[in-house]
């Protein structure tokens, strides 16, 4: 533990939410499709990477997919909240290392072939401190992959409940990566084909319970399967070269210069 004073505090994310997240993410269309996109980008841009660190690994859902994508020499999952690491450790191989630390103060320098932060930097006011730390932890010639919510005009109650500091404007994340030592290799929107549904959801009446309002993830299996099929088709097109101009999220791949 490198930042025990912040462990399981409501800093950037409510640690009590991990139990709920762990219940739905494995089958939820958005999380499953995002994993396919992330693993596809790892394999496309960094096929020789053998060491990887994820910042803000939460329950370990993404790290599990990356761990299963190839043989790794070293895998590290970091998280501010030990409550998330408890879930992650249950579902990952024993060789995976877990550390509790503040993403703004990474105790690593030129160690990893690849780093990543998946829907993490939007929780942190000083996001550039995180990107600077990722560059320091990444070997020159290695890379990083970042995903984050996009378009300030999509701001909703969910952003507030999840302690988001921002939704990124188009080009903002790329500019910050470049200013912190990365060359942008890939950039695209994600959840583009479902953007009309996402926009419509912002107009729904709010429910009395914040948790009930945000965690509407127990979808009808048929609807969940349909949405998953749409997003997985979007992912296949993105990996084949399509760059989506608008969408609920942004994904950017950078190479450490």
């Amino acid at each position: 533990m490198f930042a025990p004073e912040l462990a399981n505090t409501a800093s950037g994310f409510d640690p009590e939410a991990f139990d709920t997240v762990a219940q739905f993410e494995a089958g939820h269309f958005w999380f499953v499709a995002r994993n396919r996109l992330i693993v596809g980008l790892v394999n496309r841009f960094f096929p020789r990477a053998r060491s990887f660190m994820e910042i803000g690994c939460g329950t370990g859902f993404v790290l599990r997919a990356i761990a299963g994508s190839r043989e790794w020499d070293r895998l590290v999952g970091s998280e501010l909240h030990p409550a998330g690491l408890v879930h992650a450790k249950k579902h990952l191989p024993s060789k995976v290392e877990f550390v509790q630390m503040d993403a703004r103060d990474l105790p690593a320098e030129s160690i990893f072939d690849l780093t990543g932060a998946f829907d993490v930097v939007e929780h942190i006011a000083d996001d550039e401190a995180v990107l600077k730390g990722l560059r320091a932890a990444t070997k020159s010639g290695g890379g990083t992959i970042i995903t984050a919510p996009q378009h300030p005009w999509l701001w909703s109650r969910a952003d507030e409940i999840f302690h988001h500091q921002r939704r990124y404007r188009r080009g903002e994340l790329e500019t910050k990566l470049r200013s912190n030592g990365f060359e942008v290799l890939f950039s695209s929107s994600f959840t583009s084909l479902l953007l009309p549904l996402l926009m419509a959801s912002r107009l729904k009446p709010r429910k009395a319970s914040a948790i009930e309002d945000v965690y509407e993830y127990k979808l009808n299996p048929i609807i969940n399967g349909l949405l998953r099929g749409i997003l997985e088709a979007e992912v296949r097109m993105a990996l084949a070269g399509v760059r989506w101009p608008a969408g609920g999220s942004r994904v950017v791949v950078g190479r450490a210069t």
Side-chain angles (χ1 to χ4, degrees), residues 161-193:
I161 292 171
F162 285 132
H163 301 270
H164 288 176
Q165 297 290 321
R166 70 190 69 77
R167 297 183 72 93
Y168 286 86
R169 294 177 174 82
R170 187 178 176 186
E172 181 182 358
L173 193 52
E174 294 87 339
T175 297
K176 289 182 176 181
L177 277 166
R178 291 188 186 101
S179 68
N180 285 283
F182 290 100
E183 171 194 1
V184 174
L185 303 180
F186 174 95
S187 178
S188 178
S189 295
F190 175 55
T191 325
S192 299
L193 295 179

Side-chain angles (χ1 to χ4, degrees), residues 21 24-28 30-35 54 57-66 88 91-92:
V21 171
F24 66 71
E25 62 186 347
H28 190 270
W30 186 84
F31 289 93
V32 172
R34 186 186 62 162
N35 266 10
E54 181 182 357
C57 70
T59 65
F61 185 65
V62 179
L63 189 56
R64 198 184 329 166
I66 291 175
H91 302 292
L92 281 152

Side-chain angles (χ1 to χ4, degrees), residues 10-89:
S11 177
F13 188 82
D14 183 353
E16 294 184 3
F18 284 116
D19 290 340
T20 305
V21 171
Q23 291 175 18
F24 66 71
E25 62 186 347
H28 190 270
F29 71 91
W30 186 84
F31 289 93
V32 172
R34 186 186 62 162
N35 266 10
R36 288 187 181 273
L37 177 60
I38 292 168
V39 171
L41 293 172
V42 169
N43 290 336
R44 176 179 174 183
F45 289 101
F46 308 104
R48 295 183 178 84
R50 289 295 177 268
S51 57
F52 171 74
M53 177 177 67
E54 181 182 357
I55 299 298
C57 70
T59 65
F61 185 65
V62 179
L63 189 56
R64 198 184 329 166
I66 291 175
S69 67
R70 70 180 65 162
E71 288 295 324
W72 295 89
D73 295 331
R74 188 179 189 188
L75 288 170
V76 177
S78 77
E79 173 60 55
L80 183 66
H81 305 299
L85 296 177
V86 169
H87 286 284
K89 191 171 183 179

Side-chain angles (χ1 to χ4, degrees), residues 76-206:
V76 177
S78 77
E79 173 60 55
L80 183 66
H81 305 299
L85 296 177
V86 169
H87 286 284
K89 191 171 183 179
K90 292 177 183 177
H91 302 292
L92 281 152
S94 59
K95 69 176 182 179
V96 177
E97 303 168 49
F98 296 104
V99 294
Q100 183 273 342
M101 65 183 184
D102 185 345
R104 300 165 299 181
D105 185 21
L106 304 186
E109 186 172 350
S110 298
I111 292 177
F112 299 98
D113 299 326
L114 182 63
T115 55
F118 309 115
D119 291 83
V120 171
V121 293
E122 71 275 8
H123 294 270
I124 301 169
D126 190 0
D127 56 344
E128 292 205 57
V130 181
L131 299 179
K132 181 179 180 181
L134 284 172
R135 175 59 191 90
T138 306
K139 297 176 183 177
S140 295
T144 197
I145 302 176
I146 309 290
T147 64
Q150 184 177 231
H151 303 316
W153 49 268
L154 282 175
W155 187 268
S156 73
R157 191 185 190 197
D159 293 290
E160 297 168 1
I161 292 171
F162 285 132
H163 301 270
H164 288 176
Q165 297 290 321
R166 70 190 69 77
R167 297 183 72 93
Y168 286 86
R169 294 177 174 82
R170 187 178 176 186
E172 181 182 358
L173 193 52
E174 294 87 339
T175 297
K176 289 182 176 181
L177 277 166
R178 291 188 186 101
S179 68
N180 285 283
F182 290 100
E183 171 194 1
V184 174
L185 303 180
F186 174 95
S187 178
S188 178
S189 295
F190 175 55
T191 325
S192 299
L193 295 179
L194 297 180
L195 184 58
L197 289 178
L198 187 60
M199 294 169 63
S201 73
R202 294 333 194 223
L203 303 176
K204 291 189 313 178
R206 293 178 175 180

